[in-house]
Amino acid sequence: MSASSDLTGTAVLTRLVLRRERIRILVWIVAVPLLVLLTTASVKGLYPTQHDLDVAAEAGEDNAAAIAFNGPAQGLDTLGGQVAFQVGTFGLVLVALMSMFLTGRQTRAEEEAGRAELIGALPVGHHANATATLLVVAGMNVTVGTLVTLGLIGMDLPTTGSVVFGVSFCALGLVFATITLVVAQISENTRVVHGSTGAVLGLAFVLRAAGDIGDGTLSWLSPIGWVQKTRPFAGERWWPLLVPLLFAVAAVFAAHALSDRRDLGAGLVPPRPGPPRAAPGLGRPLGLALRLQRGSLVGWSCGVFLTGLAYGWVADDVEDFVADNEAMADLLTGYAGASLTDSYLSQSLLVVALLGAGFTVQSVLRLHGEESALRAEPVLATPVSRGRWLASHLTVALAGSVVVLAAAGLGTGLAYGLTRGDLGQVPRLVGAALVYTPALWLLAGFAVALFGFAPRTATAAWAALVACFVIGLLAQALDLPERARDLSPFQHIPHLPATDLTFTAPILLLAVAAALTAAGWAGLRRRDVG
């Protein structure tokens, strides 16, 4: 078959992908540039003078934990260098996830659901769907990179550095889109595809962190390291972009070659047969829900634990770090009577709690995923009631939220305790993290309410979490009014250890969470499933 016939119908399938994924595409291409621009505004407020930038640069260059978490210490005495340092690695990870999820959804997930076979019965080429998906993902990455570039230029950052920074986002997104495409030929399970590609992303982060702490050699083994070698705002270099470009081209050819060697719907590696008898717990709704979500729980717990380690490791030096930075000191002394260290720990725990809330939302929305994939109806066709089915996934979400928060507090407390030689900080900070439980449960209740009454809008729970992020991290930099800040449940939680523990607000949040959950359950009882 000729190359042209292999691509027959690519234009039509591209329009189909754009039509089906238009909401997700819009959210991603708005959220990532917005994160970069909000961080830029925050950095401008924190380092208003060159003296502040010089102090921050001196502290950042010697901070191994910050380098491991944020990226290489390049050009930290400039505003652009601080922006790249503060948001560069996190933004790159988001772009990689964006590319991974959309590529996996439109390739392997379509085959797993049987829709790719229906499309294949039409006059379309063998590689048309994969090519259409790559075109859409590439367009998303180009759009994100362009918006980041234009936004940074609009905020008076150097043009060359802004262009290199934006192009680096685009390059990494293409790398992980093609990696996902290759893995989609190997496994016939969408979760395995996402998990394997996510593991590659995690390995890339670790190699980049180890390389940046060392002499930089290991960073060349990481796709994240490749694009950060362009040194935006720190003596830009264009030639490192050839590495991700050549890798992406090679991965596309590899994916097409592998695709020619397998049947539609199958993977090159056959699935491993399961045990002859299922575990007893899988016969109950709670056991099945836990089995479905255990990988997500472990992944989120490890992620917030490592984030807590990074924050806790620098806590003991925070007073020296902000000694000559009035803007940073003002940010951390918003708690009357609290030390700078306790204020910093409070802000750190707020960040990891917000990250942990991602598990809560994802866990509740697994209900929507099971229903959309038509797996809920077979379960409900058994003696399992809607209430038991809802309660099983909700139990995993609520209990898992506690586990994730405990992991976040453990990481922060362990790192801080080791640097101070006082492991008594571990239970103190674990307790401070667990105080955020009512806020996470309220988000769970909100997601349940959306799922119960209007399942098509259930993903709006993610928008609520994004709003909590903006309020929690950027309210002061953006000078948000108090009414806007009060919309986030995290603002009503006592921010330990900088403030005293009170119970009124957490109890009220729990009551609201219970009411939202009950409303969602009532809505689920009164609507059709599927």
PDB file of all heavy atoms in Angstrom, residues 4 71 86 123 157 180 218 232 297 308 321 333-334 337 354 405 415 429 447:
ATOM      1  N   SER A   4       0.483   7.432   0.262  1.00  0.00           N
ATOM      2  CA  SER A   4      -0.684   8.313   0.137  1.00  0.00           C
ATOM      3  C   SER A   4      -1.960   7.604   0.564  1.00  0.00           C
ATOM      4  O   SER A   4      -2.828   8.186   1.211  1.00  0.00           O
ATOM      5  CB  SER A   4      -0.799   8.823  -1.300  1.00  0.00           C
ATOM      6  OG  SER A   4      -0.944   7.727  -2.198  1.00  0.00           O
ATOM      7  N   GLY A  71      14.547  23.005  38.354  1.00  0.00           N
ATOM      8  CA  GLY A  71      15.319  22.980  37.122  1.00  0.00           C
ATOM      9  C   GLY A  71      16.681  23.600  37.311  1.00  0.00           C
ATOM     10  O   GLY A  71      17.056  24.014  38.415  1.00  0.00           O
ATOM     11  N   GLN A  86      11.136  29.093  38.130  1.00  0.00           N
ATOM     12  CA  GLN A  86       9.980  28.852  38.988  1.00  0.00           C
ATOM     13  C   GLN A  86       8.911  28.003  38.308  1.00  0.00           C
ATOM     14  O   GLN A  86       8.251  27.194  38.962  1.00  0.00           O
ATOM     15  CB  GLN A  86       9.369  30.187  39.446  1.00  0.00           C
ATOM     16  CG  GLN A  86      10.292  31.069  40.253  1.00  0.00           C
ATOM     17  CD  GLN A  86      10.676  30.452  41.584  1.00  0.00           C
ATOM     18  OE1 GLN A  86       9.972  29.587  42.106  1.00  0.00           O
ATOM     19  NE2 GLN A  86      11.781  30.889  42.155  1.00  0.00           N
ATOM     20  N   PRO A 123     -13.473   4.287   4.075  1.00  0.00           N
ATOM     21  CA  PRO A 123     -12.296   4.454   3.193  1.00  0.00           C
ATOM     22  C   PRO A 123     -11.264   5.410   3.798  1.00  0.00           C
ATOM     23  O   PRO A 123     -11.115   6.559   3.359  1.00  0.00           O
ATOM     24  CB  PRO A 123     -12.905   5.012   1.896  1.00  0.00           C
ATOM     25  CG  PRO A 123     -14.158   5.702   2.326  1.00  0.00           C
ATOM     26  CD  PRO A 123     -14.691   4.884   3.476  1.00  0.00           C
ATOM     27  N   LEU A 157       9.446  40.852  28.958  1.00  0.00           N
ATOM     28  CA  LEU A 157      10.609  39.982  29.048  1.00  0.00           C
ATOM     29  C   LEU A 157      11.316  39.956  27.696  1.00  0.00           C
ATOM     30  O   LEU A 157      10.690  40.214  26.659  1.00  0.00           O
ATOM     31  CB  LEU A 157      10.195  38.570  29.462  1.00  0.00           C
ATOM     32  CG  LEU A 157      10.221  38.297  30.975  1.00  0.00           C
ATOM     33  CD1 LEU A 157       9.147  39.096  31.684  1.00  0.00           C
ATOM     34  CD2 LEU A 157      10.030  36.801  31.271  1.00  0.00           C
ATOM     35  N   THR A 180       4.057   8.380  23.405  1.00  0.00           N
ATOM     36  CA  THR A 180       2.757   7.762  23.662  1.00  0.00           C
ATOM     37  C   THR A 180       2.301   6.959  22.460  1.00  0.00           C
ATOM     38  O   THR A 180       1.742   5.854  22.599  1.00  0.00           O
ATOM     39  CB  THR A 180       1.710   8.836  23.989  1.00  0.00           C
ATOM     40  OG1 THR A 180       2.181   9.660  25.049  1.00  0.00           O
ATOM     41  CG2 THR A 180       0.391   8.203  24.411  1.00  0.00           C
ATOM     42  N   LEU A 218      23.944  13.855  33.099  1.00  0.00           N
ATOM     43  CA  LEU A 218      22.746  13.009  33.125  1.00  0.00           C
ATOM     44  C   LEU A 218      21.534  13.710  32.511  1.00  0.00           C
ATOM     45  O   LEU A 218      20.622  13.047  32.031  1.00  0.00           O
ATOM     46  CB  LEU A 218      22.425  12.583  34.565  1.00  0.00           C
ATOM     47  CG  LEU A 218      23.179  11.387  35.127  1.00  0.00           C
ATOM     48  CD1 LEU A 218      22.772  11.135  36.570  1.00  0.00           C
ATOM     49  CD2 LEU A 218      22.916  10.141  34.288  1.00  0.00           C
ATOM     50  N   PRO A 232      16.877  29.362  28.150  1.00  0.00           N
ATOM     51  CA  PRO A 232      16.097  30.590  27.930  1.00  0.00           C
ATOM     52  C   PRO A 232      16.452  31.660  28.956  1.00  0.00           C
ATOM     53  O   PRO A 232      16.616  31.364  30.148  1.00  0.00           O
ATOM     54  CB  PRO A 232      14.643  30.114  28.095  1.00  0.00           C
ATOM     55  CG  PRO A 232      14.727  28.834  28.863  1.00  0.00           C
ATOM     56  CD  PRO A 232      16.028  28.212  28.486  1.00  0.00           C
ATOM     57  N   LEU A 297      -3.871   6.103  43.373  1.00  0.00           N
ATOM     58  CA  LEU A 297      -3.591   6.472  44.761  1.00  0.00           C
ATOM     59  C   LEU A 297      -2.100   6.410  45.064  1.00  0.00           C
ATOM     60  O   LEU A 297      -1.540   7.331  45.685  1.00  0.00           O
ATOM     61  CB  LEU A 297      -4.368   5.540  45.709  1.00  0.00           C
ATOM     62  CG  LEU A 297      -4.129   5.725  47.207  1.00  0.00           C
ATOM     63  CD1 LEU A 297      -4.488   7.138  47.649  1.00  0.00           C
ATOM     64  CD2 LEU A 297      -4.930   4.695  48.009  1.00  0.00           C
ATOM     65  N   GLY A 308       6.673  17.303  48.976  1.00  0.00           N
ATOM     66  CA  GLY A 308       6.885  17.681  50.371  1.00  0.00           C
ATOM     67  C   GLY A 308       8.342  17.608  50.776  1.00  0.00           C
ATOM     68  O   GLY A 308       8.834  18.472  51.514  1.00  0.00           O
ATOM     69  N   PHE A 321      17.103  33.071  53.418  1.00  0.00           N
ATOM     70  CA  PHE A 321      16.759  33.308  52.024  1.00  0.00           C
ATOM     71  C   PHE A 321      15.975  34.606  51.841  1.00  0.00           C
ATOM     72  O   PHE A 321      16.179  35.338  50.872  1.00  0.00           O
ATOM     73  CB  PHE A 321      15.948  32.128  51.499  1.00  0.00           C
ATOM     74  CG  PHE A 321      15.490  32.289  50.082  1.00  0.00           C
ATOM     75  CD1 PHE A 321      16.398  32.281  49.038  1.00  0.00           C
ATOM     76  CD2 PHE A 321      14.142  32.444  49.799  1.00  0.00           C
ATOM     77  CE1 PHE A 321      15.966  32.432  47.725  1.00  0.00           C
ATOM     78  CE2 PHE A 321      13.712  32.591  48.494  1.00  0.00           C
ATOM     79  CZ  PHE A 321      14.623  32.579  47.453  1.00  0.00           C
ATOM     80  N   THR A 333       4.934  36.625  56.002  1.00  0.00           N
ATOM     81  CA  THR A 333       4.581  37.113  57.338  1.00  0.00           C
ATOM     82  C   THR A 333       3.126  37.546  57.394  1.00  0.00           C
ATOM     83  O   THR A 333       2.751  38.413  58.165  1.00  0.00           O
ATOM     84  CB  THR A 333       5.487  38.294  57.739  1.00  0.00           C
ATOM     85  OG1 THR A 333       5.432  39.300  56.717  1.00  0.00           O
ATOM     86  CG2 THR A 333       6.911  37.846  57.952  1.00  0.00           C
ATOM     87  N   GLY A 334       2.310  36.926  56.555  1.00  0.00           N
ATOM     88  CA  GLY A 334       0.889  37.226  56.590  1.00  0.00           C
ATOM     89  C   GLY A 334       0.179  36.618  57.774  1.00  0.00           C
ATOM     90  O   GLY A 334      -1.003  36.844  57.987  1.00  0.00           O
ATOM     91  N   GLY A 337       2.278  36.867  64.305  1.00  0.00           N
ATOM     92  CA  GLY A 337       2.965  36.183  65.392  1.00  0.00           C
ATOM     93  C   GLY A 337       3.709  34.928  64.998  1.00  0.00           C
ATOM     94  O   GLY A 337       4.366  34.315  65.840  1.00  0.00           O
ATOM     95  N   LEU A 354      -3.220  21.303  47.839  1.00  0.00           N
ATOM     96  CA  LEU A 354      -3.860  21.586  46.557  1.00  0.00           C
ATOM     97  C   LEU A 354      -3.494  20.531  45.514  1.00  0.00           C
ATOM     98  O   LEU A 354      -4.345  20.094  44.731  1.00  0.00           O
ATOM     99  CB  LEU A 354      -3.444  22.973  46.066  1.00  0.00           C
ATOM    100  CG  LEU A 354      -4.083  24.168  46.797  1.00  0.00           C
ATOM    101  CD1 LEU A 354      -3.329  25.450  46.484  1.00  0.00           C
ATOM    102  CD2 LEU A 354      -5.550  24.307  46.390  1.00  0.00           C
ATOM    103  N   LEU A 405      -2.812  13.254  51.816  1.00  0.00           N
ATOM    104  CA  LEU A 405      -2.409  14.351  52.705  1.00  0.00           C
ATOM    105  C   LEU A 405      -1.367  13.883  53.717  1.00  0.00           C
ATOM    106  O   LEU A 405      -0.411  14.613  54.028  1.00  0.00           O
ATOM    107  CB  LEU A 405      -3.629  14.908  53.426  1.00  0.00           C
ATOM    108  CG  LEU A 405      -4.581  15.766  52.583  1.00  0.00           C
ATOM    109  CD1 LEU A 405      -5.802  16.145  53.406  1.00  0.00           C
ATOM    110  CD2 LEU A 405      -3.884  17.020  52.077  1.00  0.00           C
ATOM    111  N   ALA A 415      11.783  15.668  55.703  1.00  0.00           N
ATOM    112  CA  ALA A 415      12.892  16.471  55.201  1.00  0.00           C
ATOM    113  C   ALA A 415      13.249  17.586  56.173  1.00  0.00           C
ATOM    114  O   ALA A 415      14.437  17.819  56.468  1.00  0.00           O
ATOM    115  CB  ALA A 415      12.528  17.061  53.835  1.00  0.00           C
ATOM    116  N   LEU A 429       3.867  18.006  61.386  1.00  0.00           N
ATOM    117  CA  LEU A 429       3.518  18.442  60.035  1.00  0.00           C
ATOM    118  C   LEU A 429       2.546  17.479  59.349  1.00  0.00           C
ATOM    119  O   LEU A 429       1.770  17.899  58.485  1.00  0.00           O
ATOM    120  CB  LEU A 429       4.781  18.622  59.202  1.00  0.00           C
ATOM    121  CG  LEU A 429       5.683  19.768  59.698  1.00  0.00           C
ATOM    122  CD1 LEU A 429       6.924  19.896  58.834  1.00  0.00           C
ATOM    123  CD2 LEU A 429       4.918  21.089  59.692  1.00  0.00           C
ATOM    124  N   ALA A 447     -17.857  17.450  43.164  1.00  0.00           N
ATOM    125  CA  ALA A 447     -17.759  16.575  41.990  1.00  0.00           C
ATOM    126  C   ALA A 447     -18.907  15.568  41.965  1.00  0.00           C
ATOM    127  O   ALA A 447     -19.463  15.270  40.894  1.00  0.00           O
ATOM    128  CB  ALA A 447     -16.417  15.850  41.992  1.00  0.00           C
TER     129      ALA A 447
END
